[in-house]
Amino acid sequence: MASSPNNYVLNLIIAAAILLMMFLQPVALADGQRTRVGFYSASCPQAESIVSKTVKKYFKSDPTVAPGLLRMHFHDCFIQGCDASILIAGAGTERNAPPNLSLKGYEVIDDAKFQLEAACPGVVSCADILALAARDSVLLTKGITWAVPTGRRDGRISLASNTATLPSFRDSVDVQKQKFSDKGLNTKDLVALVGGHTIGTAACQVFRYRLYNFTTAGEADPTIDAAFLPQLRALCPAGGDGTRRVALDTGSGAKFDAGFFGNLRKGRGVLESDQRLWGDASTRAYVQRFETGRMRFEAEFWKSMVKMSNIGVKTGTDQGEIRRLCSALN
């Protein structure tokens, strides 16, 4: 359904207010982490524009790159910080670890990097390109925008063994909370960032175990809505293709909105770890607030994204490097 003119104007006002708040308030947080909004304003003023246009180009031909880039940024930050180590190719790297094999969007980052090296050689880091591309992906899926603090440098270490810190689709709420806490993120951040599943899909092989023989009695996961279960089983038959993908947010999987939280309330979360957010009182409180609008999801999401994007950043000339190719060390 198309938005009314009044809703369109309201969204523009909200986006403008958020951008203003980003410049007036969170810069202090970013400066504390030694990243800042407008880091490339003098050294490469076209940097953000180049990234934005590149993401948009790929999105037009394949909208699935949007959730792919958002997920890639998340995975990068949760493995020894936001340093683009997820982009390094080769045996034994994060990129080739099992939790990351389904990531997509590498070609978008490589293309943006190629253009930036032509415009501003050796200036813009791959880590910053990834952070900007994640923001642009949210905007392209009808979500909100925000000012991204930049100034990260690229890491020199990428080990598949470090991916154990990534949240898993089978994690309990307590385990999820601990993994987020280890990165300096609280329960509200957890629920807001998991809300990124409002766009994107999951392969049947990731959640099919919930549909058949989940309990010792051979039944499905009882937290799945009884009316939703036949739909999931039709999409993911017991002996079917495990690579078939299903939207994580039934009903609006291509649009960045709060519908994801309504699905959790109804028992229509596709991933077990997502649905568990409704079953725990501490996380359910935020799910309810985001769904009802008592706490605006989009506003809390960008705050948590900025917070996450400053995990373990490498800055200054004594840390990391500015890679010439995002997929390889200099």
Side-chain angles (χ1 to χ4, degrees):
M1 182 179 296
S3 299
S4 69
N6 287 339
N7 286 338
Y8 178 74
V9 172
L10 178 60
N11 285 335
L12 287 179
I13 292 172
I14 292 171
I18 286 176
L19 285 172
L20 179 60
M21 286 189 291
M22 278 296 299
F23 279 100
L24 293 180
Q25 295 178 2
V27 173
L29 168 65
D31 285 343
Q33 298 285 352
R34 291 182 295 172
T35 60
R36 59 182 173 84
V37 173
F39 182 84
Y40 297 111
S41 58
S43 59
C44 191
Q46 64 270 57
E48 295 201 24
S49 175
I50 289 174
V51 174
S52 178
K53 289 177 181 177
T54 304
V55 175
K56 187 174 183 179
K57 177 182 71 174
Y58 282 87
F59 177 81
K60 282 184 175 180
S61 60
D62 181 10
T64 65
V65 301
L69 290 167
L70 182 59
R71 183 173 174 229
M72 188 186 295
H73 181 44
F74 180 91
H75 279 222
D76 182 47
C77 291
F78 262 76
I79 307 171
Q80 69 180 26
C82 311
D83 64 352
S85 52
I86 193 78
L87 304 175
I88 298 173
T93 62
E94 296 170 23
R95 182 168 173 167
N96 286 310
N100 294 329
L101 292 177
S102 62
L103 293 179
K104 65 179 302 180
Y106 294 105
E107 71 281 5
V108 184
I109 305 300
D110 289 341
D111 190 347
K113 180 60 174 176
F114 177 81
Q115 295 178 61
L116 286 165
E117 284 298 298
C120 316
V123 173
V124 183
S125 70
C126 299
D128 280 342
I129 295 172
L130 186 49
L132 292 167
R135 183 270 311 274
D136 296 335
S137 295
V138 171
L139 181 61
L140 286 168
T141 49
K142 309 302 181 183
I144 207 155
T145 190
W146 63 92
V148 176
T150 45
R152 301 165 189 79
R153 290 171 69 85
D154 301 321
R156 298 189 179 99
I157 298 172
S158 182
L159 299 172
S161 57
N162 288 337
T163 59
T165 59
L166 284 170
S168 168
F169 56 86
R170 290 199 182 198
D171 284 346
S172 67
V173 170
D174 284 343
V175 170
Q176 292 182 69
K177 288 166 71 172
Q178 186 60 57
K179 287 182 177 180
F180 276 70
S181 177
D182 290 344
K183 303 300 180 182
L185 302 170
N186 59 33
T187 302
K188 181 172 69 174
D189 297 319
L190 161 63
V191 180
L193 291 170
V194 170
H197 288 167
T198 179
I199 56 174
T201 59
C204 288
Q205 61 193 6
V206 172
F207 65 89
R208 188 161 51 191
Y209 69 94
R210 299 183 66 208
L211 313 181
Y212 310 93
N213 300 315
F214 180 82
T215 68
T216 54
E219 300 171 339
D221 184 342
T223 65
I224 300 175
D225 172 41
F228 188 47
L229 181 60
Q231 296 179 41
L232 289 179
R233 283 178 167 171
L235 292 169
C236 300
D241 180 9
T243 63
R244 182 174 183 177
R245 304 193 69 85
V246 175
L248 290 169
D249 181 7
T250 301
S252 61
K255 182 181 179 182
F256 198 95
D257 59 20
F260 170 78
F261 300 106
N263 278 325
L264 297 188
R265 176 179 58 79
K266 298 172 185 175
R268 297 192 167 207
V270 174
L271 300 183
E272 182 181 4
S273 56
D274 288 356
Q275 188 57 52
R276 282 179 167 177
L277 297 181
W278 181 256
D280 184 276
S282 65
T283 49
R284 182 170 62 246
Y286 289 109
V287 172
Q288 291 174 319
R289 292 174 194 173
F290 291 150
E291 183 207 358
T292 60
R294 282 181 290 153
M295 181 177 286
R296 187 169 174 81
F297 165 55
E298 292 88 347
E300 296 303 325
F301 181 80
W302 72 253
K303 292 176 186 176
S304 295
M305 282 291 288
V306 170
K307 197 172 174 182
M308 182 194 76
S309 72
N310 276 300
I311 296 173
V313 294
K314 296 168 178 63
T315 59
T317 57
D318 60 333
Q319 297 184 50
E321 63 184 13
I322 304 297
R323 285 186 220 138
R324 289 186 291 272
L325 292 174
C326 290
S327 59
L329 301 179
N330 289 343

